[in-house]
Amino acid sequence: MKTIRLFLMICLAALLFTPAALQAEDKKPRIGVSLPTTQQERWIRDEEAIRSIARKKQLDILVEMGNNNQMQQNLQIGRLLSQNIDVLILAPHDAVGAASMVRKAHNQGVKVISYDRLVLDPGVDVYITFDNEKVGELQALYLTEKAPRGDYIVLSGSPNDNNARLFRGGAMKVIEPLVEAGMVKIAADTPVIDWMPENAQKTVEKLLADGVRPVAVLAPNDSTAGGVIEALAAHGLAGKVPVSGQDADLEGARRIVEGLQSMTVFKDTRQLAAKAIDVAVEIFEKESWEDSVNARTATPDGKNEIPTILLEPVMVDKSNLQKILVDSQYLKQSEVFVE
Ligand code: BGC
């Protein structure tokens, strides 16, 4: 009798618990992704990388691409939140303007990962990015080695992007001592709205028309570098004045090969995307995700210290472009080296 009762109890327990346990093991997060724009190549590469990793891991993801417009991005995030996502991966167009949507996500119990760009104030759960200050440092180190004396044009990125401040901060750490030593003069120090090449071009055109003759131009990314180089070309200065960049955009890489742009800073979007997806899964699966994601540093968002995972940016110029960008299959040989 006792054995039968025990047997029945075991069967009941198996019936009750096994399906639930299996279900819990099987359940994967539904991940919402909101990226700020399709107007700069790098975000399209981020999107491709995120989709490809999610496909390999058989994860359910929903992606929205913005258009340098926070109102539109907020509507897109609202749409993601209405589709039962568990985690939101967010690169905001506007660091402040996206805060209300982070609060909304938190109210719904959705965890938020700030991706590449930090959202200011609302206390996102984790921030995954490249070392942004180091990006600026690498750019400035390169330029100051090529042009240690003379007038500099310093362009920073879009004022609504927290990264712009960080890049500029990193660059000025290198440039300011030279200014203090009387070697370098800052002829202009100005932001570029929305990081658009035409805005960078107009700024540099105006400075050149005013008689400024820079020995170097700090362009914060490849897109702005493109505009700067157009402006320099009109004065026969393209290829003669060192210009920095960032992102390893295809056009940027081509200009480096042609000798028009001096360098770029490579931030492998495949690495960033993979990390963000891994963390999204950890956050969903583990109560103790904070220990396992190993965010070694923290970034202030104005109110909170945000656990941060920092990836390493890499300096690329003519000497290592083939190895870093082509051999790693980030860019295609046939597209970079065009006749
Ligand atoms: C990113 C850069 C990018 C820029 C413009 C920044 O936040 O970190 O990689 O070039 O935005 O899209």
Side-chain angles (χ1 to χ4, degrees):
M1 195 58 191
K2 248 191 193 164
T3 343
I4 295 176
R5 206 185 300 151
L6 187 66
F7 176 71
L8 284 175
M9 274 167 69
I10 291 171
C11 287
L12 187 67
L15 263 176
L16 281 176
F17 296 116
T18 312
L22 277 181
Q23 218 182 1
E25 240 174 53
D26 275 346
K27 181 123 171 48
K28 291 178 172 175
R30 166 172 266 211
I31 302 171
V33 180
S34 171
L35 301 180
T37 183
T38 51
Q39 292 184 37
Q40 313 246 331
E41 185 181 308
R42 71 146 289 179
W43 301 108
I44 297 170
R45 290 187 188 276
D46 287 88
E47 183 199 4
E48 282 168 3
I50 289 171
R51 284 193 192 278
S52 132
I53 294 158
R55 224 178 0 256
K56 277 189 207 128
K57 294 188 179 258
Q58 298 185 314
L59 293 170
D60 182 12
I61 60 157
L62 303 167
V63 182
E64 293 275 0
M65 301 293 289
N67 190 24
N68 277 338
N69 176 327
Q70 196 55 48
M71 253 173 35
Q72 182 203 33
Q73 190 178 23
N74 285 354
L75 287 174
Q76 293 177 329
I77 299 169
R79 207 151 52 219
L80 293 172
L81 290 174
S82 69
Q83 294 176 81
N84 292 326
I85 55 169
D86 300 295
V87 183
L88 173 67
I89 295 177
L90 166 61
H93 164 67
D94 184 306
V96 176
S100 60
M101 297 314 285
V102 173
R103 287 192 199 100
K104 187 160 184 204
H106 280 161
N107 287 340
Q108 281 183 220
V110 173
K111 292 268 196 293
V112 182
I113 298 173
S114 238
Y115 180 90
D116 191 84
R117 297 176 173 178
L118 185 61
V119 184
L120 292 179
D121 256 10
V124 293
D125 297 277
V126 55
Y127 179 31
I128 308 176
T129 191
F130 285 87
D131 185 335
N132 292 303
E133 270 197 37
K134 179 137 184 225
V135 171
E137 266 174 54
L138 290 173
Q139 293 170 336
L141 280 171
Y142 200 92
L143 295 182
T144 52
E145 206 197 297
K146 299 272 170 221
R149 287 177 184 277
D151 286 4
Y152 268 56
I153 295 179
V154 173
L155 301 181
S156 49
S158 206
N160 50 301
D161 179 351
N162 189 53
N163 285 352
R165 194 179 52 80
L166 299 171
F167 300 145
R168 184 184 173 286
M172 292 316 276
K173 256 205 243 164
V174 177
I175 298 174
E176 247 151 30
L178 299 181
V179 175
E180 276 156 28
M183 291 163 71
V184 164
K185 195 176 127 241
I186 308 288
D189 182 356
T190 170
V192 179
I193 303 293
D194 286 347
W195 304 88
M196 294 307 281
E198 51 272 29
N199 296 337
Q201 183 174 347
K202 268 187 228 144
T203 303
V204 176
E205 269 167 4
K206 167 124 196 359
L207 289 164
L208 294 174
D210 289 348
V212 172
R213 286 295 171 269
V215 293
V217 182
L218 184 98
N221 72 350
D222 288 349
S223 169
T224 49
V228 169
I229 290 162
E230 286 290 314
L232 291 173
H235 288 255
L237 294 171
K240 295 189 179 136
V241 175
V243 178
S244 60
Q246 169 184 195
D247 288 339
D249 282 353
L250 181 56
E251 288 300 325
R254 283 183 182 156
R255 285 190 299 264
I256 292 175
V257 170
E258 282 174 66
L260 298 173
Q261 183 176 323
S262 315
M263 57 89 74
T264 188
V265 179
F266 177 43
K267 304 187 301 184
D268 194 335
T269 47
R270 300 167 298 189
Q271 208 188 341
L272 187 64
K275 194 74 201 170
I277 297 278
D278 279 354
V279 172
V281 172
E282 297 252 317
I283 282 188
F284 176 73
E285 283 180 352
K286 295 189 190 146
E287 282 287 325
S288 61
W289 62 270
E290 283 177 59
D291 300 329
S292 56
V293 301
N294 196 13
R296 297 221 179 124
T297 169
T299 311
D301 76 350
K303 249 188 217 150
N304 319 275
E305 289 290 319
I306 308 298
T308 302
I309 297 172
L310 277 189
L311 306 177
E312 273 297 300
V314 177
M315 190 291 293
V316 171
D317 69 358
K318 227 177 197 168
S319 70
N320 62 352
L321 187 144
Q322 170 78 33
K323 180 165 168 268
I324 307 280
L325 300 183
V326 179
D327 296 353
S328 72
Q329 295 177 354
Y330 194 73
L331 298 178
K332 288 201 185 83
Q333 170 106 17
S334 58
E335 287 175 347
V336 176
F337 299 90
V338 276
E339 291 304 310

